[in-house]
Amino acid sequence: CHGIEEENRMLEQQWISYEALGNELKRLLGGLVLPQSLMKVLENPGSVIVYDRSGAIDVERSEEGVELIHQAGQALKVAIDAAETEGGIHLRAVSDTVKTLSATSTKFCGSLARIVVTVMEQLSKEVCSNSDSMVGKNDNHSIIARKIREAQRSFQASLLSYIKLIEILALLKPDILPAVRDAYSELVAEGIMSKKRMKAYFASLPGRTSVKLAHDDKFDALPGRSSASVTHDLSEYPPVSLRSSNPPEASAMMKPVNVEDIEAALAEMLPLIAREAYFTAALFGLSSRHLDGRQKKRNFEAAKKSVDNSSQYFRYYMTRICGIASEMDAEGKKVKGDAMLSLVASIHLNESMDGYIDRHKKGGDHSLSLAYVRATILDLRKKVDKQWVIWVEDQIKWIRSNPGVPLNGKRAGIFASVARFPSYLDHVFICCKAGRSKDHSPNLAKIKVVSYYLQKMASALFASLNECAERETTDQQYASNVMRMENSYFFTQSIKQRGPDATDLFQKQITGASAICKQSTDAYLGWMIKREFKAMHSLFSNISRIRKDVGDADVPIHVPRAQFVRTLQKESSREIMKEKIGVVYARMEKHLSESGGLLPVAWKALVKVLYEWFGRWEKLSTSCYKFILEPSAIDVVRIAKAASGVAMAPSNRKGVSESRAKNQSASIEI
């Protein structure tokens, strides 16, 4: 009996376990079994979409079907999530049901993706074929831009009704979204922002820069138009001369670049690109605020790839109007680069960046769209900067070749590169101010790439100058100092005469040039005085050295007074002094070029040095020998001023006596 009772007890427990298992299966399967109505939608989502007589989807009448598909998709997602969270997947019934749901999800998402793409294709075709959005032959760029914007808004507004379908795809099968996103961007690239539309827009711009650059060879033949490219090599610019306070006169070759196209395209098309980036992020859920940094970066790259494809023809034509050279395209056209246009385009792109900064930190789709536009602008800036930098590097090579500088350095004058660099700056400022208000002042010093490479060109001028001054063939007595002082002075003055903007931009180079000018001028003036007043310089140098050792009273013991007086009478009489100072001025006039404008400044500096030296000699003469030096330091200054005044008078130059000329000619020659 005990065995029978034990068996009955075990059977009773077994039935209890079976009952508990059944209840658990009911609970598990209850969350996995969907209503038959929703299963029909999942099996064939197209069955709830309304079609018109032509077989096309009726977008407006299908809104209820879209809502039903959305509900079915959410229910399927809840069921799949329940299987994963509740457990029991090891049970065959649960496992088989989950497999069925997974297969249903795959089939459902595939059908759903086809429906979404079909709707996109249909809406794009309808919007683009609308008469209001079609571009006419007589439409200007503003009208074309407005039509493109309106077509974009209409297309995107129609798609908003189907955004729930894309949400379901993101929930159930996110790996299918890239294909849908690619299809969307391709439709935009071939429809709303097609090559035909972009070509019509850019061809309608006032300057038609892209057309000019593509047909540069034939453009000059068209009546009333100037050459497309305004870029010239540095060697082609005219040399400038130091002027007073008059503004620089623009050469005929310094034509302003056509910035109207760039300004119009940035103002009218960048908002359209920003809207496209915003809608792409919103449509495919790429800008969630709750994602981590890596996922946000991946989403941004996905959105960028999509919008890059959508706006490929905008970027293609934009590079052309920015002067970026291109390879030959499928139509056999090749755009010629324009470095000056690229430079100005870089400045305008830099300015346009300010309008697309997320100052309020809104985040989400808004921030992503602004970030995309900034990335687009930066990409264009890299290209235009590269185009201009290549030109700059070529000019630096020409500068470092030291064109026109004689091997011995004598009478080198202002180097060709130094004389032409300010002319190029004039052209840059003319182009930067084109189309702006009269009081506009381009602050190039704040644009890093532009300021860096302009300063690099200026630094190359001084590298060339230093190389020429130090080479073995250059005369080191005076020629090296003359070329340094002339060119550094010319650079400083020519830059300062171009206003505060240029001065701020080249402040570092101006400081260096001023130091070079001072050092070389001091060396040159010292050499001039020592050469012409050799005996006096030797005499007083010897006296000064002896005086330090023995004092004033014992100096006559070492240098007798008779010898001292005899030397002064021979070397420093008033007539001899006039002749020597005249020779010094004539020599300086010979050494310094007229274009450098340094003669008056250098002579004034020499007069100051003469005053200082003769002042010291006068004191030594009085303290050691009680002898009054004649002429005095003040008299020497008067003689020097008179010599420069006489020499600079044209009538006097023609009336110099032959005897004086013969006397000076021998001493001037070096």
Side-chain angles (χ1 to χ4, degrees):
C1 292
H2 177 74
I4 295 173
E5 288 180 358
E6 182 65 22
E7 184 178 353
N8 288 337
R9 187 184 66 77
M10 292 177 65
L11 288 172
E12 183 179 358
Q13 184 63 39
Q14 186 177 23
W15 281 111
I16 293 173
S17 298
Y18 282 157
E19 185 178 2
L21 178 62
N23 292 333
E24 182 64 16
L25 280 173
K26 285 181 181 179
R27 186 184 70 80
L28 291 174
L29 294 175
L32 303 181
V33 177
L34 300 177
Q36 191 63 31
S37 59
L38 293 183
M39 285 300 298
K40 288 182 179 180
V41 175
L42 293 173
E43 290 291 337
N44 183 16
S47 62
V48 294
I49 298 296
V50 180
Y51 298 87
D52 58 19
R53 294 180 180 179
S54 63
I57 296 176
D58 191 324
V59 177
E60 294 182 358
R61 294 171 60 194
S62 297
E63 290 184 1
E64 292 183 4
V66 170
E67 185 63 32
L68 190 58
I69 293 172
H70 185 253
Q71 293 176 3
Q74 284 185 320
L76 180 59
K77 176 64 175 174
V78 170
I80 294 174
D81 288 346
E84 294 178 354
T85 56
E86 295 294 333
I89 196 70
H90 59 284
L91 300 175
R92 181 180 296 175
V94 176
S95 177
D96 290 344
T97 304
V98 170
K99 288 180 180 178
T100 301
L101 290 177
S102 179
T104 301
S105 174
T106 301
K107 181 181 178 182
F108 172 69
C109 289
S111 300
L112 204 57
R114 287 190 290 273
I115 291 174
V116 171
V117 173
T118 302
V119 169
M120 289 178 179
E121 292 175 347
Q122 182 179 318
L123 290 175
S124 176
K125 186 176 180 181
E126 289 176 1
V127 169
C128 293
S129 61
N130 190 334
S131 59
D132 292 337
S133 65
M134 296 183 68
V135 177
K137 292 183 178 180
N138 297 324
D139 292 345
N140 60 32
H141 63 96
S142 298
I143 294 176
I144 295 175
R146 177 174 55 80
K147 287 184 176 181
I148 295 175
R149 285 196 302 271
E150 290 175 354
Q152 183 191 49
R153 288 171 183 163
S154 176
F155 176 59
Q156 293 175 352
S158 301
L159 271 180
L160 287 176
S161 303
Y162 288 79
I163 196 171
K164 290 183 177 181
L165 302 186
I166 297 176
E167 290 177 0
I168 294 301
L169 288 176
L171 281 174
L172 297 175
K173 199 172 181 63
D175 56 345
I176 204 174
L177 279 181
V180 178
R181 193 164 58 238
D182 291 345
Y184 166 79
S185 67
E186 195 64 31
L187 286 171
V188 175
E190 298 300 326
I192 308 300
M193 300 175 68
S194 66
K195 183 176 181 180
K196 182 179 179 181
R197 286 169 176 260
M198 290 296 109
K199 185 176 182 179
Y201 171 79
F202 281 94
S204 68
L205 290 171
R208 302 183 67 202
T209 311
S210 58
V211 178
K212 296 177 185 179
L213 291 173
H215 304 281
D216 191 25
D217 294 336
K218 300 178 180 178
F219 193 77
D220 290 331
L222 298 176
R225 292 183 179 177
S226 58
S227 176
S229 177
V230 300
T231 298
H232 305 282
D233 288 336
L234 188 60
S235 60
E236 298 174 355
Y237 283 94
V240 300
S241 58
L242 295 182
R243 46 188 165 76
S244 55
S245 58
N246 298 324
E249 295 182 2
S251 169
M253 67 184 296
M254 295 185 191
K255 297 172 183 176
V257 295
N258 191 342
V259 296
E260 293 179 351
D261 290 4
I262 299 173
E263 291 177 340
L266 292 176
E268 295 174 347
M269 300 305 290
L270 281 184
L272 185 143
I273 302 301
R275 182 183 177 89
E276 186 61 38
Y278 181 93
F279 186 78
T280 300
L283 186 64
F284 296 100
L286 296 173
S287 57
S288 175
R289 299 171 186 266
H290 307 294
L291 300 175
D292 59 21
R294 290 185 178 180
Q295 187 59 44
K296 284 183 178 180
K297 184 177 180 180
R298 285 194 290 267
N299 285 356
F300 176 78
E301 292 299 327
K304 185 177 185 302
K305 178 182 176 183
S306 177
V307 184
D308 279 350
N309 187 62
S310 301
S311 60
Q312 57 181 297
Y313 297 114
F314 161 77
R315 289 181 291 110
Y316 168 74
Y317 285 106
M318 194 69 200
T319 57
R320 294 176 68 166
I321 70 169
C322 288
I324 301 171
S326 70
E327 300 296 331
M328 190 172 293
D329 60 15
E331 299 177 1
K333 296 178 181 178
K334 181 180 179 181
V335 178
K336 295 184 178 181
D338 189 336
M340 183 64 78
L341 179 58
S342 295
L343 170 60
V344 178
S346 177
I347 295 170
H348 281 268
L349 288 168
N350 184 67
E351 292 174 354
S352 68
M353 186 83 74
D354 292 339
Y356 296 93
I357 296 175
D358 188 14
R359 293 182 173 85
H360 301 295
K361 306 295 182 183
K362 292 182 179 180
D365 302 331
H366 178 73
S367 291
L368 188 144
S369 65
L370 294 181
Y372 175 78
V373 175
R374 292 197 303 273
T376 301
I377 293 173
L378 285 173
D379 183 57
L380 284 170
R381 278 198 63 192
K382 287 179 182 178
K383 292 179 179 179
V384 295
D385 288 342
K386 181 180 179 181
Q387 178 87 26
W388 178 64
V389 166
I390 291 173
W391 179 89
V392 170
E393 296 294 348
D394 289 340
Q395 307 317 303
I396 289 176
K397 290 179 182 177
W398 176 76
I399 292 171
R400 296 302 298 269
S401 67
N402 311 321
V405 182
L407 290 177
N408 62 6
K410 294 181 179 181
R411 300 184 183 180
I414 305 303
F415 290 5
S417 54
V418 176
R420 285 162 174 77
F421 183 67
S423 193
Y424 170 68
L425 290 181
D426 290 340
H427 194 190
V428 169
F429 284 116
I430 288 171
C431 292
C432 291
K433 293 179 180 180
R436 310 287 190 117
S437 59
K438 292 183 179 180
D439 58 346
H440 175 73
S441 180
N443 194 346
L444 302 181
K446 289 187 177 181
I447 306 176
K448 291 183 178 179
V449 175
V450 176
S451 61
Y452 174 79
Y453 280 96
L454 284 176
Q455 291 176 20
K456 189 174 181 180
M457 285 181 71
S459 298
L461 297 176
F462 289 98
S464 171
L465 175 61
N466 188 59
E467 180 182 340
C468 292
E470 292 184 352
R471 61 189 178 189
E472 294 180 357
T473 56
T474 301
D475 177 81
Q476 297 299 320
Q477 277 192 320
Y478 76 93
S480 61
N481 287 322
V482 168
M483 66 170 61
R484 278 193 172 109
M485 59 190 278
E486 273 202 294
N487 286 278
S488 58
Y489 175 80
F490 184 91
F491 176 85
T492 301
Q493 296 304 312
S494 61
I495 295 299
K496 287 183 177 180
Q497 288 176 352
R498 270 142 190 87
D501 290 329
T503 304
D504 293 342
L505 178 59
F506 297 103
Q507 188 60 54
K508 181 180 178 181
Q509 286 72 25
I510 289 174
T511 303
S514 299
I516 293 172
C517 186
K518 184 179 186 307
Q519 184 179 3
S520 56
T521 300
D522 290 344
Y524 173 70
L525 297 181
W527 173 81
M528 289 280 280
I529 296 174
K530 290 175 185 178
R531 174 186 170 82
E532 197 59 39
F533 301 94
K534 186 175 182 180
M536 292 184 66
H537 178 267
S538 177
L539 174 65
F540 282 104
S541 296
N542 188 32
I543 292 173
S544 179
R545 184 176 63 257
I546 294 171
R547 181 193 180 200
K548 289 181 181 178
D549 296 334
V550 301
D552 292 349
D554 292 340
V555 168
I557 298 173
H558 298 275
V559 180
R561 179 183 176 86
Q563 178 186 344
F564 175 76
V565 173
R566 186 169 59 251
T567 302
L568 291 183
Q569 289 175 346
K570 181 180 178 181
E571 297 291 335
S572 67
S573 67
R574 186 174 293 272
E575 290 302 320
I576 293 175
M577 196 62 65
K578 287 182 179 180
E579 183 176 350
K580 285 181 177 292
I581 291 176
V583 170
V584 170
Y585 185 87
R587 183 181 294 117
M588 182 179 287
E589 193 175 28
K590 175 185 173 183
H591 291 167
L592 302 181
S593 63
E594 185 177 352
S595 60
L598 185 58
L599 180 59
V601 179
W603 185 252
K604 184 177 179 181
L606 186 134
V607 171
K608 182 180 178 182
V609 174
L610 281 175
Y611 177 75
E612 292 173 354
W613 285 33
F614 274 85
R616 289 198 299 270
W617 294 348
E618 195 174 6
K619 290 180 181 178
L620 284 174
S621 176
T622 304
S623 62
C624 295
Y625 295 97
K626 308 302 183 201
F627 183 85
I628 299 175
L629 193 64
E630 287 291 341
S632 64
I634 295 177
D635 293 332
V636 170
V637 170
R638 290 170 182 165
I639 293 171
K641 289 182 177 180
S644 64
V646 171
M648 293 177 66
S651 59
N652 188 67
R653 288 183 181 178
K654 296 179 181 179
V656 175
S657 64
E658 293 183 2
S659 60
R660 175 81 177 267
K662 289 180 180 179
N663 292 334
Q664 290 185 357
S665 61
S667 57
I668 292 175
E669 291 298 331
I670 297 176

